[in-house]
Amino acid sequence: MRKIVFIFFILNLFLLQSCSFNSEVTYYKDSTSTITADLYMKEMITSMKSMFSDSLVSKKDLEEIEKFPRTWTSVYDFEKMKDGKVATQNPDSIRLMKKVFMKSNFEDKDFTGISLKMDRFSPSDYDYIKKGFSKTDNLPVDINTVNNWNGKNLIINTENFNKDMLPNIDDSEKTEEALQMVKMMYQNISVTLKFENKIKSITGKHDWVIPVDDHTVKITYDMETISGESKTPLTHADKKIVIVTE
């Protein structure tokens, strides 16, 4: 469990400095879901290497992440490869370590980022991992789109869109400077939602939530709106989107 939390903690720090974060959530009829997230941060990594003293991620942390295998490898297998054994004997932790996969991404010899996969997680699996975080911290993929799936219906609380982008900043701290920083860090954010069963109906509308086909919906975050700089109001901004599958 502590190994999983450490990896998500490091990824959370990277996400705070990432230029591109795209994820895909696949929803299954047994109420489980699989999240695949790609963090592309080539330009940011180059800048970080020249200013480690001021960075949220140390040189040691970066070197640790660059050691991740370049093919999908479970946290369980990675720990065994690295240390020769798995530190925990907790069966729940081991079970989840075998369902969380990581891989490093490169362009030629340049490290460009990390991909994360949480395979067939149940609501109780997400809750178990969250217990390792403080109340003010979230998983890097702790978007509200995974929290309200029951195997047939998905409820998206669009009021949480800002919280997804500003997970650790309370209302009293949302100064103009903080919002500008968030806009700079999150330049490209999207989430693709895929459903095992065909979509039967979608109730509610939001400009950022776009149906793609009978099995797919895409959410594209507008950072101008989140940062408060957009001068154009949303055409559709229902507080809830309810997706019902067959």
Side-chain angles (χ1 to χ4, degrees), residues 50-109:
S50 65
M51 50 179 291
F52 278 113
S53 60
D54 297 324
S55 175
L56 288 173
V57 182
S58 70
K59 182 177 181 180
K60 181 179 179 181
D61 293 330
L62 180 58
E63 291 174 345
E64 184 75 14
I65 291 181
E66 286 181 338
K67 293 177 183 178
F68 287 149
R70 300 192 185 192
T71 57
W72 287 116
T73 303
S74 70
V75 173
Y76 178 84
D77 288 335
F78 176 71
E79 185 168 343
K80 288 185 68 176
M81 286 188 295
K82 180 184 176 184
D83 302 324
K85 61 180 180 179
V86 178
T88 182
Q89 298 300 316
N90 183 294
D92 286 328
S93 294
I94 291 175
R95 179 178 61 83
L96 291 187
M97 288 172 69
K98 292 181 177 180
K99 295 173 64 174
V100 178
F101 297 83
M102 308 282 296
K103 72 182 181 75
S104 57
N105 301 316
F106 287 79
E107 291 178 0
D108 295 325
K109 295 182 179 181

Side-chain angles (χ1 to χ4, degrees), residues 1-243:
M1 178 65 178
R2 296 180 69 181
K3 172 65 72 173
I4 297 177
V5 171
F6 169 76
I7 289 174
F8 283 144
F9 175 72
I10 296 300
L11 279 176
N12 218 358
L13 293 181
F14 265 116
L15 181 55
L16 289 174
Q17 305 188 41
S18 175
C19 291
S20 178
F21 178 69
N22 299 300
S23 61
E24 179 178 289
V25 187
T26 302
Y27 301 95
Y28 302 98
K29 58 187 178 183
D30 62 359
S31 299
T32 64
S33 59
T34 294
I35 297 178
T36 304
D38 298 311
L39 285 73
Y40 183 84
M41 43 198 162
K42 181 179 179 179
E43 292 80 8
M44 189 62 69
I45 289 171
T46 301
S47 299
M48 287 165 56
K49 286 183 176 180
S50 65
M51 50 179 291
F52 278 113
S53 60
D54 297 324
S55 175
L56 288 173
V57 182
S58 70
K59 182 177 181 180
K60 181 179 179 181
D61 293 330
L62 180 58
E63 291 174 345
E64 184 75 14
I65 291 181
E66 286 181 338
K67 293 177 183 178
F68 287 149
R70 300 192 185 192
T71 57
W72 287 116
T73 303
S74 70
V75 173
Y76 178 84
D77 288 335
F78 176 71
E79 185 168 343
K80 288 185 68 176
M81 286 188 295
K82 180 184 176 184
D83 302 324
K85 61 180 180 179
V86 178
T88 182
Q89 298 300 316
N90 183 294
D92 286 328
S93 294
I94 291 175
R95 179 178 61 83
L96 291 187
M97 288 172 69
K98 292 181 177 180
K99 295 173 64 174
V100 178
F101 297 83
M102 308 282 296
K103 72 182 181 75
S104 57
N105 301 316
F106 287 79
E107 291 178 0
D108 295 325
K109 295 182 179 181
D110 296 327
F111 174 66
T112 60
I114 286 290
S115 291
L116 163 73
K117 182 191 295 183
M118 300 166 69
D119 191 36
R120 300 297 292 246
F121 264 52
S122 67
S124 60
D125 291 338
Y126 290 116
D127 289 340
Y128 183 78
I129 286 186
K130 282 184 176 181
K131 290 179 182 178
F133 286 78
S134 70
K135 293 182 179 180
T136 57
D137 289 328
N138 291 313
L139 298 178
V141 288
D142 187 33
I143 51 178
N144 74 88
T145 49
V146 303
N147 294 333
N148 299 296
W149 170 246
N150 64 8
K152 184 175 181 179
N153 305 326
L154 175 68
I155 301 174
I156 301 174
N157 296 312
T158 65
E159 290 182 303
N160 289 338
F161 283 161
N162 281 26
K163 295 179 182 179
D164 295 338
M165 297 296 100
L166 305 171
N168 300 321
I169 303 177
D170 62 35
D171 291 335
S172 64
E173 296 174 325
K174 290 177 183 177
T175 62
E176 182 177 350
E177 182 179 355
L179 293 172
Q180 287 298 321
M181 183 65 68
V182 169
K183 180 185 174 184
M184 179 186 71
M185 294 184 296
Y186 296 115
Q187 293 181 13
N188 179 17
I189 308 288
S190 68
V191 183
T192 300
L193 314 179
K194 292 191 173 183
F195 298 86
E196 180 180 17
N197 286 352
K198 185 177 180 180
I199 297 172
K200 184 177 181 180
S201 66
I202 300 177
T203 303
K205 292 184 178 181
H206 194 285
D207 289 0
W208 303 353
V209 183
I210 306 298
V212 177
D213 55 40
D214 289 342
H215 291 266
T216 311
V217 171
K218 187 170 184 178
I219 301 174
T220 301
Y221 290 85
D222 182 350
M223 300 315 299
E224 291 283 338
T225 299
I226 290 176
S227 66
E229 287 193 344
S230 177
K231 294 180 175 57
T232 304
L234 295 173
T235 303
H236 302 288
D238 290 340
K239 294 181 179 180
K240 285 189 178 182
I241 306 293
V242 180
I243 300 174

